[in-house]
Amino acid sequence: MKATGIVRRIDELGRVVIPKEIRRTQRIRQGDALEIFTAGDGQVVFKKYSPLVELGQLSGVYAEVLAKNLGRPVLVCDRDAIVAATGQGKSQTMGREISDGVSKLLAMRAPYLAPEQPSRRLAAFEKGDGVLLCAAPIVVHGDIEGGVLLAGAERDPSPDAETARAVNIAAAFLARWMEE
């Protein structure tokens, strides 16, 4: 664990403020869930909690089935990074941060279909190549938990309506699964 040199005191209600610099670099936003646990050496650790990571295997299997039906790679992300991926380069895609544009798009709670003009497409990842072709948010109990994404290259054509519908159904299925 990296030392930051920042010290905070616990207030009378047992609260501690996580410094803005750490919240920004770790992409911790107001309302995010944090898992708190202790390490064997007495450390108290705060870790971002993602229910989609808990569903890792299920979301991976569902992404594989959807990818076989659509004939293109499918990604499942939480609010920050890819938690399940299919296709070539799967191991390099897992854990990659989604772009701020994709994060804002998912927060709008509406499905997305890339415009035909390649220059107007959103970057899929924070660093590196790839554009977003189609996306559907995973909304659980009114909160955005992530999304189902189709990423591709700028030269790829926009997906058809059936593909977009399949991505929306996948997001709805994962949302229902998480609610239960």
Side-chain angles (χ1 to χ4, degrees):
M1 216 175 305
K2 184 178 176 183
T4 63
I6 300 170
V7 176
R8 293 286 193 250
R9 298 210 183 271
I10 296 174
D11 71 9
E12 62 277 356
L13 295 176
R15 298 175 297 197
V16 63
V17 174
I18 299 172
K20 184 177 185 175
E21 300 82 23
I22 293 174
R23 292 193 317 263
R24 186 174 25 82
T25 59
Q26 297 302 310
R27 297 177 88 173
I28 298 171
R29 301 176 197 95
Q30 182 178 344
D32 282 355
L34 297 176
E35 182 178 6
I36 304 168
F37 58 94
T38 57
D41 60 358
Q43 292 182 4
V44 177
V45 180
F46 289 80
K47 180 181 173 188
K48 284 182 74 170
Y49 175 75
S50 170
L52 277 166
V53 171
E54 301 295 319
L55 282 182
Q57 188 173 5
L58 172 71
S59 57
V61 168
Y62 200 79
E64 288 286 345
V65 170
L66 185 59
K68 284 180 184 172
N69 287 328
L70 297 178
R72 59 179 19 184
V74 174
L75 309 171
V76 178
C77 67
D78 62 12
R79 291 176 55 192
D80 297 310
I82 305 300
V83 298
T86 65
Q88 243 181 357
K90 173 181 173 179
S91 58
Q92 293 89 359
T93 305
M94 290 292 293
R96 284 184 75 181
E97 287 186 4
I98 60 173
S99 70
D100 286 336
V102 172
S103 185
K104 289 175 184 173
L105 180 78
L106 293 174
M108 292 185 343
R109 302 170 184 261
Y112 169 81
L113 191 59
E116 287 296 329
Q117 290 179 313
S119 61
R120 296 187 58 218
R121 294 180 178 177
L122 289 173
F125 305 107
E126 193 60 41
K127 296 177 182 159
D129 58 342
V131 295
L132 187 64
L133 298 175
C134 185
I138 299 172
V139 181
V140 180
H141 299 298
D143 294 326
I144 301 295
E145 295 295 342
V148 177
L149 315 173
L150 293 181
E154 277 191 24
R155 67 185 181 290
D156 290 342
S158 291
D160 59 15
E162 275 304 304
T163 300
R165 186 169 177 262
V167 169
N168 288 327
I169 290 169
F173 171 81
L174 290 172
R176 274 189 235 112
W177 188 270
M178 291 172 66
E179 285 175 347
E180 294 175 13

